[in-house]
C-alpha cells in the first residue's frame, strides 16, 4: 500500500501564473502609513566650545590656560574637505592662540573681489606664505621687518589639495614663499603622511611661530594637545600610521601600485629620498 503524497512520477507541476507588478496607486497606498512614522533624529555629541572636540573627550586640559601671546598673525586657508574631518588639528591650533591671531578661511578659490581683506594681506610686505618648493626660502634665513607685525599664510589640506589651492589662486603668489628646514618627524601618527618629515598644519604652525617669535616654548605648548589626541586614539583602537615613504622603503605598502605614470614616478622619488 502506497502512502499518499506527491510523487515525481506524477508528471511536472503546473507552472505558476506570472506575478503582476503593483500599480502606482497601490504603491502609494502601501507606503501611505510610512510617512506617519516618527523620524529618528541623529543628534551630534555635544562639543566643547574651545577645542571643538566632543565634551567626553575634551582636550582643554592640555591647552594653555590663556592664549599664547604672539605678534605673528596666522591666516589658515582651509580646504572644505578638512572642515568635516573628525581628527583635524586646526581647531586645536586656534584654541592655543588669540582669535585675532589665527584667522581661518575655508574654500578652494580666493578672488580679490570676494576676499578683499585677504588680498590686502597678500600684498603686505610683511606677509609670508608657507609652501615648500624650489622658489621657497628657508624660514630660518628670513629677516623679519620690525615696522609691522609679521603675517603667515598656511594652507590646510592634503598635499594634493594644498597644491591645487596654491597654484590656482594668483593671490598666493604675491607673498614671500617660505619653507621649514627641519628633520623632525611628525607626531600626528594617526594620519598617514607622504614622507617622514611631512608635518600637519598644527605642527607647521608650531615650528613657524617658534622661529618667528624666537620662543622655543611655543612649539612645546602647541604640540601638547596633538600628543594627547594621538595618545587617546591609540589607546582606543587606532593604529600608528607610518608615512608612505616608510611603507615603500620597507616593503610594507599593501595597496596596488598606481597605473598613472606621474603617480608612480612620485612613489619612486619617495623611495629614493628625492624631494617632491
Amino acid at each position: 500500500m502506497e502512502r499518499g503524497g506527491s510523487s515525481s512520477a506524477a508528471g511536472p507541476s503546473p507552472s505558476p501564473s506570472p506575478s503582476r507588478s503593483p500599480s502606482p496607486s497601490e504603491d502609494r497606498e502601501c507606503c501611505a502609513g510610512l510617512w506617519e512614522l516618527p523620524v529618528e533624529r541623529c543628534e551630534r555629541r555635544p562639543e566643547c566650545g574651545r577645542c571643538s572636540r566632543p565634551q567626553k573627550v575634551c582636550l582643554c586640559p592640555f591647552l594653555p590656560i590663556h592664549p599664547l601671546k604672539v605678534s605673528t598673525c596666522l591666516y589658515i586657508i582651509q580646504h572644505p574637505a578638512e572642515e568635516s574631518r573628525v581628527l583635524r588639528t586646526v581647531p586645536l591650533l586656534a584654541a592655543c592662540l588669540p582669535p585675532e591671531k589665527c584667522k581661518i578661511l575655508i574654500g578652494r578659490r580666493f578672488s580679490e573681489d570676494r576676499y578683499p581683506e585677504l588680498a590686502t594681506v597678500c600684498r603686505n610686505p610683511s606677509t609670508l606664505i608657507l609652501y615648500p618648493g624650489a622658489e621657497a626660502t628657508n624660514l630660518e634665513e628670513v629677516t623679519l621687518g620690525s615696522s609691522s607685525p609679521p603675517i603667515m599664510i598656511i594652507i590646510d589640506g592634503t598635499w594634493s589639495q594644498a597644491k591645487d589651492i596654491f597654484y590656482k589662486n594668483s593671490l598666493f603668489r604675491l607673498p614671500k614663499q617660505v619653507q621649514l628646514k627641519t628633520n623632525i618627524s611628525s607626531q600626528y601618527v594617526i594620519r598617514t603622511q607622504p614622507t617622514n618629515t611631512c608635518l600637519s598644519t598644527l605642527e607647521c604652525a608650531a615650528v613657524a611661530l617658534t622661529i618667528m617669535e624666537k620662543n622655543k616654548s611655543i612649539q612645546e605648548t602647541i604640540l601638547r594637545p596633538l600628543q594627547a589626541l594621538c595618545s587617546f586614539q591609540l589607546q582606543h583602537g587606532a593604529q600608528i600610521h607610518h608615512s608612505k615613504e616608510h611603507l615603500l622603503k620597507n616593503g610594507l605598502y599593501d595597496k596596488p601600485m598606481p597605473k598613472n605614470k606621474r603617480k608612480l614616478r612620485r612613489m619612486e622619488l619617495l623611495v629614493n629620498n628625492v624631494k617632491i
Side-chain angles (χ1 to χ4, degrees), residues 64-75:
I65 298 175
H66 303 291
L68 295 172
K69 293 182 179 180
V70 295
S71 60
T72 306
C73 180
L74 298 181
Y75 276 79

Side-chain angles (χ1 to χ4, degrees), residues 45-61:
R45 293 181 293 175
E47 287 186 350
C48 171
R50 188 182 180 196
C51 69
S52 300
R53 293 276 296 161
Q55 290 179 357
K56 289 186 176 180
V57 289
C58 171
L59 293 174
C60 286

Side-chain angles (χ1 to χ4, degrees), residues 168-201:
K168 292 187 178 179
N169 290 281
S170 57
L171 280 178
F172 298 143
R173 237 94 74 240
L174 297 176
K176 187 176 182 63
Q177 185 180 342
V178 296
Q179 61 188 2
L180 299 175
K181 185 181 178 181
T182 176
N183 292 321
I184 65 171
S185 296
S186 175
Q187 297 185 42
Y188 194 19
V189 294
I190 55 176
R191 189 167 172 180
T192 304
Q193 302 289 358
T195 70
N196 296 332
T197 56
C198 286
L199 304 178
S200 66
T201 301

Side-chain angles (χ1 to χ4, degrees), residues 16 18 27 30 37 46 50 56 73 98-99 103 140 157-158 160 164 179 182 195 198 200 217 242 245 249 257 261:
D27 273 342
C30 292
L37 293 175
R50 188 182 180 196
K56 289 186 176 180
C73 180
K103 302 181 180 184
E140 296 87 343
T158 64
S160 60
D164 178 75
Q179 61 188 2
T182 176
T195 70
C198 286
S200 66
S217 67
H242 294 290
E245 174 190 16
K249 285 183 175 180
M257 297 299 284
K261 290 183 179 180

